[in-house]
């Protein structure tokens, strides 16, 4: 099946978005390369539909090294029954599939960081072509859009769903409500410093109810973090009226991330030794971590301090850090 | 200073092992390469000595992507005062320093896995040369030897110190006592399936009191796991009589790892979804994890079951798994 | 010599296109790189001219791993005598010369697939700069343009010359006649699904008589397939009135390639086992090949069936295949 | 199951060689690496047994880019029924499985060329460990050993089975008879110039009836060449008395390969243009191919001539050739 | 501090360009990558200011393998005292800092050749983003701009400062005077063949007094060449009235580089054997170097001759040369 | 022709060492690899012979990035006439030919540093096989052996010939006389710290008159340094009585290199700024160079001081230096 896009997209979906029932298919994208002149990428996609009703569009694997989304969405695609829903659920569990297969944040084909090249281009690189198809082919079909992120191999977060401060306050309220409905331990109001290139921005520009997440990280998933994602996707379907019932809710704490007072970067290369754990309270100027020089023993560490008051909600994950790496993310607590 | 080894080692230590006080130096190993014909590797080493007494020899960074050891040992080297000790402490916080700098388990120079090539060779590859110097130059100086491991980027463990079942029961008792004195939440009695090539084996063959550890993993460290290592090294110095005082002890649970019933491998490539968390109890045959095929949605996962009764003490860390990767390590609990 | 292009091209031809006689020269393109700050690429070119008359422009090596074209064209450049022709022959035997030297389909410099980036850009990457010079510098000089392709390392075809369905039916007729004159065992009428970026399209847009080919493949040439190319280039010169005589013709079978019913992709990764040989007749739905899973013995193969009726005219060449790779190309036979 | 080898092999077979029926299993070899600290390689193996009788041991994928062997042997493993045989068939369809997965002649892990490192070492590299297990664990179980080779990506041959000139003339007669029974279009008597390191040599040293093959090449398989392998393995089972019936035989031509007069190497780098096809007759000194310099048009090719009288039975496959590459293999015909 | 650019630049300078005194800071550029999702590049920058007066803007490391600039500018930044100057000096000693750290001409991140992508783009690759910030953020602040180049790893030059022939003759005179004031042994009037993409062009387009240099090369620096750079930067500050005093001058010889008669390229691959040393006089057609084929002994070398009359002012540095590499640069002497 | 070695060498020389006249041939070494299963390396060799007399054996390219040797020896091989000599000259201008083609110190095939793996092994890696053939096949043929080295890409030296302190004082005197006869500006008496693995040691062990050199460096050659090599090889042939005449001698200064007081290593990573030029006199403890940290401006450099009294005869060449790299080589002057 080909969507009627103009200009045409090189991506052709092997599913029918208008058919009732459940389909397991692929987004097919030609990819000529040295080891297969007429090769292609097949991105898994599942469409579940039962008559008229709202459409939810769920993405995992926007970055290829984040796993709560794919775990929850492969499961949802396998287990969700058409008869249990009203409307439509479109599931793309591993959006940047080449990156996902390579267990990398970005595409091994063209280095593309999927969440920095939206809205994409139909005649660009492989990653831009995928983004373009999402922008013009999938987003217009949806009412509610969820993009499940985690920290990936190099960042770690307390688990949260988030929505952005938006110019359209009605849309903002919809998004904030949906983020809360997701039901993660934390919910975050975000002001994006540089929103250019994000899937978020493309979805929001179309007026969609959009939710993003950061669910732990390190390039792995635990039973606990995968459960947050599994509950979250069903909670959101209930919130949207696609599944019956009300979202199962644990207690959610609201935080805010503004530009100032949020991020602290490493001033040096070295071995990072954290003084605080994720979720710890901290006040501006207090030590978060020390950077230990390792070229010889006996050298003095450099201290990184908190850029604001609040909770330590994000940190650098690997044991070594380089100058300029983000060491601390502090979210401010509501009073 | 050159140790009087026969055959000579290409490694020359820039410290005097017999001098009182504290020295920050290096093990220097010539390394001719395309980008520096007459280059060398400098492995940091610290020697702290105060008169006669026992010698403790502490290693971190045997594998280059394990961080609790380096954090604790760079700190110890910086903070330990000669006047506080009786005897000698030799600290090598990042033994496979090329691997440590590259944040890799193995050496980027020759692919050498340091803990699989002991006792090493003076005329072998770079990693073998380092191992040989440890075997012939450092181990003979020591009474107590500690090699701090964690899971690294691809494995994760409950934090434990361990000692091996040994033919010499007196030595075994010394090692078990030292492992317990380290004071991690768990202590493990291990029967190594294939002990060839390990630093452990070379140290034990010389009759030394030897302790190894696995302290979490994933290629990072947390305040909690770094604290275990920091307390552990001081506990061990107290246990050895080098520092005054008695080891600070938290409650330690003893486990046993034998060959049978301990390890479960993945039968397939896929996305791994754990049913159990580290530290959970499990019985043989119960599900530990599912391997989700990701080529298309809708395919059935494959279940990996526990190989024995006990606690899940180790797991695969990354979100993707390959056929043959170790998915579960089960330690049996003492009655 | 510099062609007077506006904007200027960085490519400067070291031949005079207007001089009588034979010149062996180069297209010189500056290429600053880490191992030669002021380096350049020299693409071999030969110009043979004898007074006024039509101009033929012959390309080989558009893809760097296809060899019938280079073999025939290096030979033609060496052997063709000015006194034997009327008009002009411009020969570029290895157009993507960096790819040709590297024995790769695409450029090792910028990954450029020459036949997907026409018309090129004078300020783009290396491959785009070459395409731009062809578009603006060489194509306008020509009456008849031939671009000799083969399957390369990853595809294999029955040997054919081809022309496209074009909006201008007079031009289409010229092209079809020239394709037949080439004298390969097969001739193909093609409807290109996605013609953007091809040399073909740039040549056709200028109204040129354009012929392309696919002459076997696998990244090699045999005496038989090289002979088809050698005869083909002389046949085309005769057809164009540049060489005396009439094309030597073997019996040519006409086939048609439309979008539908032509291509079959692999639904799985595996070892490919063909049931049919190139040139075999097949009907829609009949098995063409089986994809054998190789992770363990005993697993069931997946069958790929013919997408239409006709001859198997193209296939995947390497023994292993990936999901999405083109496994079968079926050309329909004229009644 | 662990074979009782001394010294022990790190390879453990997950099949029981003594059980009746058919088992699909693996040879498991631990492989610690940066992306899986406790990983392993699983080499597929199939054992089919029906009571007492001779044992045939069949290998494919000794080199990872040769496909007739794997195609025939995955098929045989899937289709062979225990009740159809008397004795035992052990099938390893992709012996150098890491190389096979990577579609390379040699191992991507350690560069090991499997057929140059026999008898292997239990404490060597990955490829040496596999070879050692074959030598000490599998070869002793067999009566008849077949190692199916093709030319791989860089060589091409007329299809033949072969046996070596051996000191033990009774063994040589057994091997020659088995080679003929295989039923390929050609059969070759070979004097190996340098037999060190080959699986052949290890098998022959144990007195086994050993057959090797070269069945076309280029890194692909055709229906024709796969059929030769499929018939060959069943013919050999019949010849050995494991399957009922007599080998199906096409007419086989015998050739001889000695050291002198067999091989011709390229004296230059360039584009290779063959004057002869595989199977063509040739006399010593006649042109086999020309090497065309490609740096500029107009340069004179260099001719490679036949090193002896006979048939051209092997050639270089890729379109480009380097100085020293084998361009021609000539087999002498029996009078 | 953020400069008020529109569109905004992703580069944020951690210095205040308007503050008196000396600041050592960085230009911070976010760089999301697989090994640090929220990483950044910190390009060192130093601002020294003392009240009102002219601004000098000095760059080193435009190409990452050229060392006289960085040596002189790290020194200047460390040693220059605010109280010694009138006005402002902005020092960027290693502009393409990723390339500088990698000791490469171009960026290891995106292959960017800094001096070929000006004026850059705020939404381009990493190197384009840096260029854009220079163009819009730094150049407008300056009166005098100096970009210190050397030959890098692959070229070598006699030491010279240079200015371009410009349409604005007053500006040209200013630039020529500044080039002479730099005080290198040679000064060159240059007509750039292709000025597109150079920092030079962006600075000149803003009417700045611009000087560039080539100070030896080979990817190293000597006491002599570093001294030329050290004196040059202070001479230029004196010439601009920022430092007191007059430039220290050695005798400077003026040369001219036009397009024609200046460059000679290698017609072949091989070992290069120079007949002339840098600075030697030569006449058009005389031998400069021989290219020795090395595939076998006994082959005849190819001679490269001088393209014009003058001095040999530049040469290829490495011992091997490829077809198209620049072998000789000849500057014409003033009468 | 095959030398009668036991065990046999895989290297076969395509020259006859006993024939009069001049032969340009190759040492042929089979090299099976992924891109040519039956490939080979051809190392150029030239043999010039005129009746009985002494044999000189000259090597260049022992390290692949040193060019004075290859320039002088390709020239000698091309120009030397059999009738001008008495005896035999064997010339191998690029011994580690794979490294030479790759412009690298060590072999791109196996990383082999040719001058660290003598005497080699016939069944080792490619580089070991070449070394073994030199040891057993070539050295025994010679009376005088010359191995021409330069500093290569990463070191630079004043030009000198050298001979070792040897246990056999008669041999030492022969070697010292030959080193002086070479006629470079400097001559050096060397005590090798670690002579294991060098060609020198293998030649000296056979009692040969052996000379080595270091002639400048940086991975290039100048007319001046190439001239030293060209004169040197002819001087040595005269000294040996193979060419008529007496060595042309410039004034040679004798230096001594012992283990102590000769080498200074860098204590840090950084940008290296030399205070002294090659050939400058220096006294122990005086500054030779400063290592400038480049992470930010304003940091203090680290000074490297001379390890002894004498001349600076060697230095690190590239602009960046790493901890442990050799920064200074000081040779002591004879009184």
């Amino acid at each position: 099946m080909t969507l009627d896009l103009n200009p045409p997209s090189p991506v052709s979906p092997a599913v029918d978005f208008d058919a009732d029932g459940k389909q397991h298919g692929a987004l097919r994208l030609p990819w000529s390369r040295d080891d297969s002149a007429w090769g292609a990428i097949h991105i898994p996609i599942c469409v579940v539909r039962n008559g008229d009703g709202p459409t939810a569009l769920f993405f995992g694997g926007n970055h290829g090294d984040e796993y709560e989304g794919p775990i929850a969405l492969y499961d949802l695609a396998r287990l969700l029954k058409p008869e249990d829903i009203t409307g439509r659920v479109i599931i793309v569990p591993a959006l940047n599939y080449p990156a996902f297969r390579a267990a990398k944040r970005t595409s091994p084909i063209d280095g593309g960081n999927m969440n920095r090249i939206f809205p994409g281009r139909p005649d660009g690189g492989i990653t831009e072509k995928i983004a373009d198809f999402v922008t013009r082919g999938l987003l217009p079909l949806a009412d509610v859009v969820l993009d499940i992120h985690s920290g990936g191999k190099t960042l770690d977060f307390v688990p949260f769903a988030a929505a952005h401060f938006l110019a359209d306050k009605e849309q903002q309220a919809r998004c904030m409500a949906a983020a809360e409905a997701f039901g993660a331990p934390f919910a975050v109001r975000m002001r994006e410093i540089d929103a250019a290139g994000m899937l978020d921005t493309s979805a929001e520009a179309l007026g969609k109810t959009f939710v993003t997440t950061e669910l732990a990280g390190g390039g792995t998933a635990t039973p606990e973090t995968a459960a947050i994602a599994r509950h979250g996707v069903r909670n959101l379907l209930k919130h949207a009226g696609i599944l019956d019932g009300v979202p199962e809710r644990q207690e959610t704490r609201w935080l805010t991330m503004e530009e100032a007072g949020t991020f602290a970067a490493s001033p040096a290369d070295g071995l990072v030794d954290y003084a605080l754990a994720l979720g710890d309270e901290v006040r501006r100027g207090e030590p978060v971590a020390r950077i230990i020089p390792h070229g010889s023993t006996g050298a003095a560490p450099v201290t990184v301090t908190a850029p604001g008051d609040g909770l330590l909600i994000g940190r650098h994950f690997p044991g070594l850090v380089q100058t300029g790496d983000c060491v601390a993310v502090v979210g401010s607590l509501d009073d």
Side-chain angles (χ1 to χ4, degrees), chain A:
Chain A
M1 180 206 170
T2 307
L3 292 178
D4 191 21
L5 302 178
N6 183 7
S9 165
V11 176
S12 62
V15 285
D16 179 346
F17 293 106
D18 297 329
D20 273 344
K22 181 154 70 172
Q23 304 163 74
H24 298 294
L27 304 176
R28 298 182 300 200
L29 172 54
W31 177 37
S32 180
R33 55 195 199 271
D34 288 336
D35 70 341
S36 185
W38 291 0
I41 294 163
H42 283 197
I43 302 170
I45 188 170
C46 174
V47 179
V48 189
R49 188 171 188 269
N50 187 18
D52 293 336
T55 291
L57 173 59
F58 288 177
F59 296 105
N62 176 321
H63 292 130
D65 60 349
E66 303 173 4
Y67 296 101
E68 281 79 6
I71 287 174
L73 294 179
Y74 276 101
D75 254 28
L76 186 70
R78 190 166 51 88
L79 300 173
L80 192 66
K81 297 178 189 163
E83 57 268 30
D84 291 345
I85 70 167
T86 303
R88 182 167 56 174
V89 184
I90 304 173
I91 303 165
V92 185
L95 177 58
N96 195 342
Y97 191 64
F100 176 79
R101 281 195 66 153
K104 293 179 62 176
R105 177 175 181 79
T106 64
S107 176
I109 298 172
D110 58 7
N113 179 341
M114 178 65 79
N115 216 30
R116 283 287 150 199
I117 59 171
F118 269 83
R121 298 192 314 159
D123 60 350
I126 287 290
T127 314
E128 290 172 302
K129 285 172 173 168
I130 299 172
D132 169 69
F133 182 79
V134 169
T135 301
R136 296 190 298 134
L138 297 184
L139 289 178
L141 304 176
D143 298 286
V144 177
V145 179
L146 170 68
D147 188 23
I148 308 178
H149 285 261
S150 302
K153 288 185 172 173
T154 68
L155 292 170
D156 200 7
F157 293 97
V158 297
F160 65 81
H164 291 104
F165 292 104
L166 297 173
D168 178 339
K169 293 305 165 192
E170 180 275 331
Q171 184 187 9
Q172 175 180 311
R174 269 191 281 130
C175 294
M176 298 268 175
E180 185 159 15
F182 187 87
F186 295 89
V188 177
R189 298 178 191 90
M190 279 183 174
R191 197 175 311 274
E192 205 69 46
I193 308 173
D194 179 8
M198 302 177 75
L199 189 154
D200 315 44
T201 307
S202 288
E204 289 161 355
L206 293 170
K208 307 302 180 187
T209 300
F210 179 80
V211 176
T212 186
T213 73
E214 295 291 355
L215 305 174
T220 189
T222 65
E224 179 191 356
T225 60
I228 293 169
R230 263 192 270 259
H231 293 143
V233 296
R234 290 184 175 268
N235 280 345
L236 208 50
L237 291 180
K238 291 173 184 169
H239 177 77
I242 296 173
L243 271 180
D244 272 347
V246 294
E248 295 172 34
R249 188 151 318 169
Q250 51 177 308
E251 191 179 0
T252 292
R253 292 178 78 181
W254 274 98
L255 297 155
T256 301
M257 281 171 66
E258 301 270 355
E259 180 173 356
T262 299
F263 305 99
S266 180
D269 296 2
L271 175 63
V272 60
D273 178 24
Y274 277 89
L276 300 181
L278 283 178
D280 283 355
E281 281 203 50
V282 67
R283 300 198 67 81
R284 177 181 166 84
E286 289 177 352
V288 174
R290 297 178 314 147
I291 313 301
I292 304 174
H294 53 64
S296 66
T297 54
V302 180
T303 298
V304 178
T305 59
D309 297 349
L311 298 191
L312 182 69
I313 62 171
R315 54 160 283 188
H316 183 74
F317 190 78
L320 296 188
V321 74
Q322 295 185 5
T323 302
D325 285 349
C326 179
V327 169
V329 184
V330 172
S332 64
L333 281 165
D334 288 11
D335 303 318

